Amino acid sequence: DSAFIQQSWDERLRFQIPMDQHFYASTYFYPGFYRAKLVLNEDVIQEKKLLVPSDGWLAVVEKEPTPIYRHENQLSEGYPDIDIAFLEENGYDLHEEVPLTHLFYVGGLEEVPMDDTHFETRFQHTFSKGDAVCQYGRIILLCTDGPILIPFSIPGCVGDLSMKLVDHWLEGNMVDMTGLGLDFSQEVKMDIYVKGLQLQVMVNEQLAFQRTLKTPPGDMVGVSYRFHGTGQVYAAVVKNEGEEIVLR
């Protein structure tokens, strides 16, 4: 009765194919690793893995219908950021609207097996006014069989966090995520370890969260950061089997 192309797991990114046509194209505006789906009625009958690379670091302001991009050659030295000046240059009044911003590094490293991997980063959420007072954000390790999504906020807002571990969601009002309530008056060091199915998250050298994964994540192909407001990355390193990959 109906046919659709769905860009990923998100059913909001589903586009109907006219029944008298045999071709349909849709655009991916954000880098990442996706499983595109062909859906007949409500049944997924085919999937295809799709990597959308960022060509180094890419900063993006989330906006409909088309995001605002800040390419690597527009960034400050070292790691990327989205700052207040860039938002104001693009017409945002942060007293009225605080956008979601993203920092991507996708496709610039060989696929890294996630059976014994350590991701080390230093970052900072840099905006806390208006409706961004909770300083919500997340770090996502983009993997071939599903993401590892680690959320964060200030301490008083952790009950509203949502975490995704490959194909399984955890909610902060049902699972203790106290350790992911962070003080952003200075940069934060976060270490994410995956060994077998064991996940461990350290914040400033203290255990913040641990869990046994229900499903292996596959291989890591990139990382993304999301901030409600502005944010800065100071370091991002992948360590696997004695090799250290600095994402620069």
Side-chain angles (χ1 to χ4, degrees):
D1 297 324
S2 57
F4 305 87
I5 288 176
Q6 184 172 314
Q7 290 190 346
S8 68
W9 59 270
D10 189 346
E11 293 187 1
R12 294 172 297 178
L13 300 176
R14 179 181 285 191
F15 305 92
Q16 187 165 5
I17 306 169
M19 294 302 289
D20 60 345
Q21 300 294 320
H22 298 279
F23 178 85
Y24 189 88
S26 63
T27 303
Y28 288 80
F29 286 105
Y30 299 92
F33 187 86
Y34 300 92
R35 287 179 176 270
K37 304 174 189 297
L38 178 62
V39 182
L40 298 186
N41 294 337
E42 290 300 317
D43 297 322
V44 177
I45 65 163
Q46 189 173 354
E47 289 190 341
K48 181 177 180 178
K49 295 180 179 179
L50 177 65
L51 179 70
V52 180
S54 60
D55 189 21
W57 283 100
L58 177 67
V60 181
V61 182
E62 194 169 309
K63 185 179 180 180
E64 295 294 340
T66 307
I68 300 168
Y69 301 97
R70 190 180 194 184
H71 293 278
E72 192 168 23
N73 61 3
Q74 297 174 289
L75 303 177
S76 56
E77 273 190 40
Y79 288 91
D81 68 321
I82 291 282
D83 55 21
I84 293 173
F86 181 76
L87 295 179
E88 290 177 341
E89 288 169 9
N90 284 278
Y92 283 93
D93 180 350
L94 297 179
H95 297 288
E96 300 291 334
E97 179 186 9
V98 182
L100 294 172
T101 63
H102 303 257
L103 305 174
F104 292 99
Y105 188 99
V106 182
L109 67 163
E110 297 294 330
E111 295 185 3
V112 178
M114 285 293 287
D115 51 356
D116 188 3
T117 296
H118 171 199
F119 178 70
E120 177 184 316
T121 186
R122 291 183 292 108
F123 68 99
Q124 189 173 12
H125 197 304
T126 55
F127 192 82
S128 60
K129 297 179 181 179
D131 62 0
V133 64
C134 282
Q135 294 187 284
Y136 290 123
R138 64 194 191 188
I139 295 174
I140 307 176
L141 304 187
L142 300 163
C143 304
T144 54
D145 291 329
I148 295 177
L149 185 160
I150 307 299
F152 52 79
S153 68
I154 63 171
C157 298
V158 294
D160 293 324
L161 297 180
S162 294
M163 176 184 295
K164 189 177 187 184
L165 302 179
V166 189
D167 56 0
H168 182 61
W169 283 97
L170 301 174
E171 302 298 332
N173 62 347
M174 302 293 289
V175 175
D176 184 4
M177 298 188 190
T178 306
L180 300 174
L182 309 180
D183 174 9
F184 285 111
S185 61
Q186 54 190 354
E187 68 181 57
V188 172
K189 182 176 185 291
M190 182 179 289
D191 296 272
I192 303 172
Y193 297 89
V194 179
K195 189 174 181 64
L197 291 178
Q198 301 305 310
L199 168 72
Q200 187 178 78
V201 181
M202 305 287 291
V203 172
N204 296 330
E205 309 298 341
Q206 300 295 316
L207 179 64
F209 189 85
Q210 59 184 353
R211 199 81 172 185
T212 300
L213 304 177
K214 294 187 175 183
T215 308
D219 298 336
M220 180 177 172
V221 295
V223 61
S224 72
Y225 299 73
R226 188 177 80 168
F227 302 96
H228 184 198
T230 59
Q232 170 79 58
V233 174
Y234 300 104
V237 181
V238 180
K239 300 178 181 180
N240 176 268
E241 296 182 350
E243 183 180 3
E244 185 173 293
I245 306 167
V246 179
L247 306 187
R248 294 296 294 263

